Amino acid sequence: MIPRLTDLPSPAPPSRAFLDELRLRGFGGDIAPGDADRVVMATDNSIYQRLPQAVVYPRGAEDLRRIARVAADPRFHCVALAPRGGGTGTNGQSLTDGIVVDVSRHMTRILEVNAAEGWVRVEPGLVKDALNAALKPLGLFFAPECSTSNRATMGGMISTDACGQGSCLYGKTRDHVLSLTVVLMDGTLWESRKLAPEELARVTRRQDMVGAIHRVADGIAREERQLIAERFPPLNRCLTGYDLAHLHDAEGRFDLNALLCGSEGTLAMIAEAKIRVLPVPRCSALINLRYDSFDAALRDARVLMALGAASVETVDSKVLGLARGDIVWEGIRQFFPDDPEGPAAGINLIEFVGDSEAEVREKLAPVEARLAAEGRASGRRGHTLAWDGDGERIQGMRKRGVGLLGNMKGERRPIPFVEDTAVPPEHLADYIAEFRAALDRRGLEYGMFGHVDAGVLHVRPAIDMKAEGAERMIREVSDEVFALTRKYNGLLWGEHGKGVRSEYVPEVFGPLYPSLQAIKAAFDPRNQLNPGKIAAPEGEALLAIDRVPMRGQLDRTIPAATRAAYDEALHCNGNGACFNYDWQDAMCPSFKATGDRRHSPKGRAGLFREWLRQLAAAEVDPVAEAGRLRDASALGFLRALPERLRNSRALRRGTPDFSAEVKAAMDGCLACKSCTGQCPIKVDVPSFRARFLEIYHGRYARPLKDYLLGGLERMLPLGARLPGLANAVMGSLPGRALAAKAGLVDAPLFSGLDLGREAAARGVRLASAAALAAVPEAERERHLVIVQDAFTSHFETRLVLDLIEALKLMGFTPWLAPFRPNGKPLHVHGFLGAFRRQAEAQAALLRALAASGIDLVGVDPSMTLSYRSEYPGIGVETPPVLLPQEWLARRLHLIPAREAGEGFALLPHCTERTNAPAAVKDWQGVFARLGAPLTVLAAGCCGMAGTFGHEAEHRAVSEQLYGMSWKTHVAARGERLLASGYSCRSQVKRLDGVTLRHPVQALLLRLREAPARPATLPEAA
């Protein structure tokens, strides 16, 4: 039994008093001093980890003013604050050991849209892609791009002056900021906008913080004009934050936003932003140009930049190779064919945009003519052309580059610390050659991609930060790369801000650094806003790259054997793909429903890592503890039960235990496995969640519902023997009351059909190894074994019978495997010992049936795909169990084509959509063969996810998730809408009273109604 865990230090007394004072002054947002909240906010997308004192979530500008006013109270001058948005910074910009001010939970509104004048007003927590989705119907968009745009907030983009692809055409974030409404550290709400000379004169006469700030900034701009011109490099990615060079615009107006944009929350807190938006280009085309070497791609970029492209991006072979194993590859593979020499060593992506296809083709014509004429010059191999949506998917692959690099195998993983350097584009190839040489000398692997048109290349060296000496390597490489940027008149921070790298600021700014200190002092006289970054008061130090706590240092305290056993959590690099705002995207439903980052894959992985660290500090081996629990006898279980019950009572009375905070986060997981498929790092929350629950319930008693759900597959065949009686009991008032008492709601009813009997009546035999072996080998291609699952066999028996009929109408011979529990419900609830026993029994049956060479086919995606995920995860191997469409897609040549007819729309199960994307495309191929176009709809989670929606504590979240995505689709599509997941169809039926067809039932409809198309030519295999 594991001990109670209380290893984290409590918030300091001044911080606790600060929070109390906030409450007294009417703070309307959320205040979170709990250990789980603090741990989740201790990391971002960098290598660093700083545990904050607490997290506050303001609801609006007035809450920000309350925070500033309390901070101005002399009692709290020692309290530090760090504004935070999406937490996607790569250099620890929002990390603090003070109090985090997170605007991403509540301050997410679009306040005003003026399409005629081309601007919007937004709150700082609004996600960039959410803004553009809202603007799309108006034909407008916010142009600056960043790879994390589906979770990066507008406040964060402004605070780092973010930009990415297309910056040579559209500029940086600050080029689109018209005004900022900020809260100063005395509580003043100030709208910062461009001021004409007479307005500036009026403001500088004010005898308050606003006047002082403008006097200091204006004085520096006038007095240091010559020095500013000398020290600021003329780059597309010029210095961000405290940008003295742009304090006056071309018309002579004073613009305080030049200091605020890119200031990383060190000067003020953003409450609102008025930003420029532009017309969306109506058409785009992307040339995907392959090369013999990455150096050839870099050197050719200068030629390509002169061809009028909107952007030129480059990707190396490392990133491209990792993309081949990612969910994104299925949609773009045709644009990156292998050459006779093998896969390309580098690619350039050259984008052209316009308001019509004709305009874009006019731009493309001379480019394609030149590429054709020059052939393989400059190391080129060939190119493909992608239009509009295809090009967007390819750019999506490039945007996933950061995450993809994190999925390299082994302990050494690419990490960010020198990844956004910028040099004049004409020097990029030479600079990168020296950069690579520095990494090669140290034996470091790395991946590279980026914006060659702007001279910015993202380089992530692979370092095991858990290894002794890793900090020294960070120092050596950083110093050498910094010197290289100086040699080539570039910058160490061309795109992703300074953060912890601020230690290099004094050398970059030189004699201007005191001016930065003066600006910081005017805005933040007590050095409370994100201290240690960009500028520090006289006598105080900036943060240093190797003297801030790192995640790897904490992970190092976890024994190597434990790390290896739980690596599905430990390799999360914080890229935050699971924070995707889009309700029509599968990941992550619990985060989308709650807005709470504890309830995300990143949050759960961070909590699990901290749990392992605390277990290690208590000298507990979780692997050994799990083994002990699995080997325990029934008598041993009963002996430990009284202590479990005592521990559970103590927990309910408020006895602290970090394990309970982790459990609260794990309880919200739907086990949909979208993280496993969509996370670039392949963080697998359901797997480590199950392993956590196993050990947690070695200390604390389980609720009754866990035993009922875990044993569901064994109980269903018993209930199915008397379905009428079972349904009457479950549907009765006492039955429902008893279920509710156990924590369960809306139990499904038995179909009333005996699958074995009904299948036999249709000429389908029960499969056995001997019977299958007797099938003549020449006929086996047309035979298949249907592997039963508990839910479709007992609750949707008609579906399995429809599958049988459809197969027979297509000329195939189905067999029915004997029913055996799959075990997935046991895995979901952490009964891993019982799950292993069931998995081994089922695997033995499947191996015996597959020995004949006849394929095995499952019905429900979630249950079927567990043979590819949960089973191998515990070391149990099975023969392949295909989904129906995968099996049919391999036999299209055997299926007579049908005349064209009306199409259907499909909502795939989340696990199928994210873990088997090729199988989703297979549905389209099969439907096309039968003359029915199939549209796969973008959608989030339906909210049921196996048994999740049947648990009373999750009923509200389950219904909320359904309303966020599926409800609209169901209302719009009617009977032409299909759903492949049992749990999805069950959710639609219970919440909307609509019965959706499974895709095989739509195929059966086509087979019954549509005549076979006459064959005019021999069918190709």
Side-chain angles (χ1 to χ4, degrees), residues 7 93 121 177 333 370 405 408 479 561 697 757 919 971 991 1000:
D7 192 51
Q93 290 98 316
R121 276 195 312 119
V177 172
R333 64 166 67 236
R370 179 168 179 172
L405 284 172
M408 281 177 59
D479 285 349
H697 286 299
R757 186 181 304 121
L991 294 182
V1000 300

Side-chain angles (χ1 to χ4, degrees), residues 678-689:
Q678 286 190 300
C679 172
I681 315 300
K682 306 298 181 259
V683 168
D684 186 352
V685 176
S687 290
F688 68 74
R689 172 183 179 267

